[in-house]
Structure formats: C-alpha cells, structure tokens
Amino acid sequence: MSEKQVAVIGAGASGLVAAIECARNGAETTLYEAGHRLGTKILKTGNGRCNLSNSAIEPGWDFKGYNNPEFVQGALGELYCAAIRRFFESIGLLTFEDSEGRIYPVTNSAASVVEALAWECRRLRVYIKTDCKVHGVRAANDDDRERLGAQGDWVVTVDDGSEAIFDKVIVATGNSFKVPSRLGLPIDSKSFVLGPLATSGNATEAMDGVRIRARVTLRSGGEVAFSDTGEVLFRKYGVSGIVIFDCSRYANYGDEISLDLVPFLSEEELATDLEARNERYRMLRQTSKALLAALSGLIHGQAIPSILDYCGVDVDDPPKELPVDDLAFALKNFELTIADLPGADNAQVTRGGVSTEAVDGKTLESLGRLGIYVCGETLDIDGACGGFNLHWAWASGLIAARAACSS
Ligand SMILES: Cc1cc2nc3c(=O)[nH]c(=O)nc-3n(C[C@H](O)[C@H](O)[C@H](O)COP(=O)(O)OP(=O)(O)OC[C@H]3O[C@@H](n4cnc5c(N)ncnc54)[C@H](O)[C@@H]3O)c2cc1C
C-alpha cells in the first residue's frame, strides 16, 4: 500500500473516481474543486439520468467510437464496461443496460451517481476542497519543502495564494486546460463536438420541432465521413438529435449533410408509393389541401411544405401532377449545408486538450513531467453519444490513480 500524498485537481467524473481509487490504494488524497459542488457536470448527463457506459465496450470491440481508438484501447486494457459497472457496484450504485446497450444507474438519476461517488470519497477520508480553484502546479524545490514542511515533488498553488506539496498530481480539470497548459504540457487545439448543426438557408425553418427517423450521410471533401440512421430533430436553425450529435464529430464548415427521410422504403418502393399517391391526388382535384393530403401518411405533415419547396413546388399554386421524380429524389436526398458547428454553449464534449502523445499510453503519466497524470476530457479523447465519454472519464481516472499510487 502506498502512503503517497496525491492531489487530484477537478471533482468531475474522472477526478472523483481517481480520488476514490487513490484513497483505496492507501494514498493521502486531496481533491480540489473550483466549483461549490462535486460532480456538477455529471448531473446534466443523459438528460439527468447519466448514461455512464456502453456494453459495446467489451473484449473484441474495435474502439472506433473514439477519436483515437488505438490509444484508448491500449490505455483501457481490461477496463471494459463490465469493470466500470463493478466499480459502481462497489460504491453501492447498481446499473442496468437498456435495449441499445446504454448503461444507466437503476435509479435513473444522475444525482444518485454523484451522491454515491461523493459518499465514497468521504468514507475513504479524501480531503475535499471545494470552492478551491487551482492556479497551477510547479516542480517543488528544497525551499518549498522546508517552507511547506513536507516532502514531495510538486507544489499545487490555489487561486487564493495557498500552496501544498504532493508526491503525485492527477489533472482532471475537464475542458479547462489552464492547469496543464501552465505545466507546459502540449495542448491540441480546442473544438466542440456532440452538438447541433446549424445549416444554411431556411430549409428547416418551418419544420422546427419535427422529429423524423432518417439516414444521415455527411460528405466532407467529396468523401463520406459519417453515415448512420437515427431520429433527427429539425430546428429553425438546422438539425439536432443524437445521430446529428454523433455526426458533428466529423463535420466541418460547408460540408453537406444528406438526409434520407424515408429510410424504411427502397427507391423502387418509394417510386411505387408516390405513383399511387399521384393517382389519389388526381382524383382530389389538385387543390393545395389535396397536395398536402397526398403526402401525409408518408412524411410528417409539418415537413411537407418544406419538402415541396425543396422540389420547387408552390403549395399555393398546386401542379396538375405530383412531381414524382423530384419528390423521390428530395425524400431520399434532402441536402443541407453546414453553416455552423457546435460551440461551448451547446456541445456536450470538448475535443482537444493535452495531446495523447505527451502521456504514457498505459499509465497516463506525463512523459515530460514525471509524477503528473492526466485523465478524462483533459486529454484529447472524445467519443460518440451512448456513454462512451463517461466511460473514458471513469476508466482513465482509475488508470491514473492506480499508476500514481504504484510508482
Ligand atoms: C449536457 C451534457 C450531457 C452529457 N451526457 C453524457 C452522457 O449521458 N454520457 C456520457 O458518456 N457523456 C456525457 N456527457 C459528457 C461527459 O459529461 C464528460 O465527458 C465528462 O463529464 C468528462 O469528465 P471529466 O472529469 O473529464 O470533466 P468534468 O466532469 O467537466 O470535471 C472537471 C472538473 O474540474 C473542475 N475544474 C476545472 N478547472 C479546475 C481548477 N483549475 N481547479 C479546480 N477544479 C477545476 C471543474 O469545475 C469540474 O468540476 C455529457 C456532457 C454534457 C455537457
């Protein structure tokens, strides 16, 4: 058992787990948190339910749900979904898997996840310092050791000017990169992912609030960069929903998103369906109402005017025939151009942070600053929706803590 003095900076998902694991390994652990409460961001996750892992993370999985699959696979080792569920069980929090492999607490409450983590920290006598923003960490010298009356290699300085000395420091500051940057760790540039996409023009304006299960294909530089089927939520400004959040991880300004709004029909089936609708439309005397009625039952009513507009059809001046070919094309290839990417205010995850090349791939220890470990979102790792980001946060907290206490 180690008797090290360890500082964990940041009491979010990765920092709370790291603090627990350090204390379990016998370290005297101090947990610094800038905010007033522990685990504030965890409370917002999974719409307040906390989707904390995903059963896809098991032996044999390809880790392609992450931006840097090889690094994540190498670092996680055996820390698959089952291991994270066992960790939570060990702190009294039971979990369940939904039909899509997402793991939630049985309470369906993110607050109970924070409670369980916080109580375990208290039970293990982790020294918790809230409202305590760390300004920086620097190498200790003999003067520091004498002045602070302790051995150790790293001095943690808090914004109020107070200082303390530690053997090891775990940086778990989420998407705030000031502490690692002041330590001189290389930082990959910051961008925001897992958020809605604004699109140019007003093609989605009248569809605000409509949800359609669609196949989403993103083209970037002429190549298909992303393709998946899921519920698209149309907004005045563009598109949202889980499949769009996942798409945002690959999107650039000006890229085209193509939506297949009827993925349940093949092109032939759609052509047959539209011919039958055209027959009914002819019998309904080609009025504006008939035009809208002809397509209802195939696509959400609020979306029909936008789709007709996309085909160049004026609802107030209905044509004699349904433009079957144009409609078939529009329904299978409703194209939107990305005008804006997610930002700090509406993205779930920050890409960028400490470069994975600057840390040991097994221990997450900084290669240039021995004794400093980096975990969670502070490292340049991001994953898809579905519990992959929190899985990385908990698991990397465990990895950093185990390494900090064993070396
Ligand atoms: C709305 C929303 C929903 C989400 N839902 C999910 C989901 O369901 N499933 C999923 O897998 N992921 C989800 N995520 C992503 C997930 O929340 C993050 O990946 C995860 O919280 C990252 O954990 P972390 O410990 O790295 O950072 P954080 O949880 O952000 O914790 C960092 C902590 O460090 C503190 N801190 C920062 N700087 C300092 C400093 N200088 N001194 C002291 N303390 C400091 C911060 O106050 C913060 O408490 C969601 C994110 C959002 C925003």
Side-chain angles (χ1 to χ4, degrees):
M1 293 286 261
S2 128
E3 287 182 357
K4 293 191 175 76
Q5 303 276 332
V6 181
V8 178
I9 307 175
S14 59
L16 282 161
V17 169
I20 289 169
E21 193 65 9
C22 285
R24 282 180 173 178
N25 280 279
E28 266 196 48
T29 309
T30 304
L31 177 60
Y32 291 95
E33 169 53 46
H36 192 54
R37 290 170 180 274
L38 308 179
T40 310
K41 202 196 276 181
I42 299 171
L43 296 175
K44 297 188 208 160
T45 60
N47 284 326
R49 293 172 59 212
C50 188
N51 173 198
L52 55 86
S53 183
N54 194 295
S55 64
I57 309 171
E58 61 174 2
W61 188 52
D62 63 9
F63 286 84
K64 294 242 167 74
Y66 291 101
N67 62 334
N68 194 338
E70 293 80 19
F71 181 86
V72 175
Q73 186 170 14
L76 290 187
E78 302 289 307
L79 286 173
Y80 300 113
C81 176
I84 293 304
R85 292 181 76 174
R86 276 198 301 277
F87 170 82
F88 278 106
E89 241 174 71
S90 79
I91 61 168
L93 188 103
L94 304 186
T95 59
F96 77 98
E97 178 181 346
D98 79 0
S99 58
E100 296 187 58
R102 300 185 186 117
I103 310 297
Y104 291 94
V106 290
T107 56
N108 266 318
S109 156
S112 65
V113 177
V114 176
E115 283 279 289
L117 291 164
W119 276 106
E120 185 67 0
C121 282
R122 290 185 195 111
R123 189 182 74 79
L124 292 165
R125 309 235 182 284
V126 170
Y127 188 28
I128 298 170
K129 289 172 159 256
T130 50
D131 296 309
C132 210
K133 187 169 182 187
V134 169
H135 176 79
V137 181
R138 61 178 172 78
N141 56 36
D142 287 342
D143 284 351
D144 293 319
R145 293 186 188 97
E146 198 177 325
R147 188 168 48 83
L148 296 168
Q151 293 302 304
D153 295 328
W154 296 100
V155 175
V156 170
T157 311
V158 177
D159 262 4
D160 65 9
S162 61
E163 290 182 330
I165 197 161
F166 296 92
D167 298 307
K168 310 278 173 173
V169 176
I170 298 176
V171 181
T173 52
N175 64 3
S176 169
F177 305 143
K178 282 191 184 144
V179 170
S181 151
R182 285 181 183 136
L183 264 163
L185 303 187
I187 308 284
D188 294 341
S189 67
K190 197 168 180 170
S191 61
F192 300 96
V193 292
L194 296 192
L197 294 168
T199 55
S200 54
N202 56 1
T204 63
E205 203 174 320
M207 293 159 80
D208 190 34
V210 171
R211 292 171 189 271
I212 297 178
R213 190 171 161 76
R215 176 131 205 112
V216 178
T217 304
L218 174 80
R219 282 194 189 78
S220 196
E223 301 281 319
V224 173
F226 172 87
S227 188
D228 200 4
T229 302
E231 189 179 84
V232 175
L233 169 61
F234 289 86
R235 308 303 335 217
K236 277 188 184 159
Y237 59 80
V239 280
S240 185
I242 287 178
V243 69
I244 295 295
F245 280 27
D246 281 339
C247 177
S248 73
R249 297 182 61 230
Y250 305 89
N252 295 299
Y253 291 97
D255 285 351
E256 298 285 335
I257 319 176
S258 176
L259 303 180
D260 176 353
L261 299 171
V262 286
F264 46 88
L265 292 180
S266 68
E267 287 188 10
E268 295 75 38
E269 286 167 335
L270 178 60
T272 308
D273 178 274
L274 287 172
E275 284 301 345
R277 285 173 198 279
N278 198 23
E279 276 303 309
R280 287 200 291 279
Y281 177 60
R282 282 194 200 114
M283 288 190 293
L284 288 169
R285 297 197 190 158
Q286 299 105 359
T287 62
S288 295
K289 270 193 182 165
L291 182 58
L292 299 177
L295 292 170
S296 69
L298 175 64
I299 194 92
H300 193 293
Q302 199 185 324
I304 296 172
S306 304
I307 290 158
L308 287 167
D309 185 53
Y310 190 85
C311 296
V313 173
D314 180 356
V315 178
D316 297 325
D317 182 17
K320 296 236 172 312
E321 302 275 329
L322 285 184
V324 170
D325 290 344
D326 289 350
L327 275 170
F329 187 80
L331 288 165
K332 282 280 173 200
N333 307 277
F334 192 76
E335 293 219 332
L336 299 165
T337 303
I338 295 173
D340 208 357
L341 298 168
D345 53 334
N346 60 7
Q348 288 194 352
V349 172
T350 304
R351 176 170 289 168
V354 175
S355 167
T356 52
E357 287 176 11
V359 297
D360 181 290
K362 292 274 179 234
T363 63
L364 307 184
E365 183 174 20
S366 158
L367 296 174
R369 300 271 185 278
L370 296 182
I372 302 288
Y373 299 77
V374 188
C375 59
E377 204 171 336
T378 314
L379 267 174
D380 187 3
I381 295 296
D382 66 270
C385 286
F388 298 97
N389 288 293
L390 279 173
H391 183 94
W392 168 251
W394 322 119
S396 60
L398 288 174
I399 295 162
R402 286 172 188 169
C405 294
S406 69
S407 62

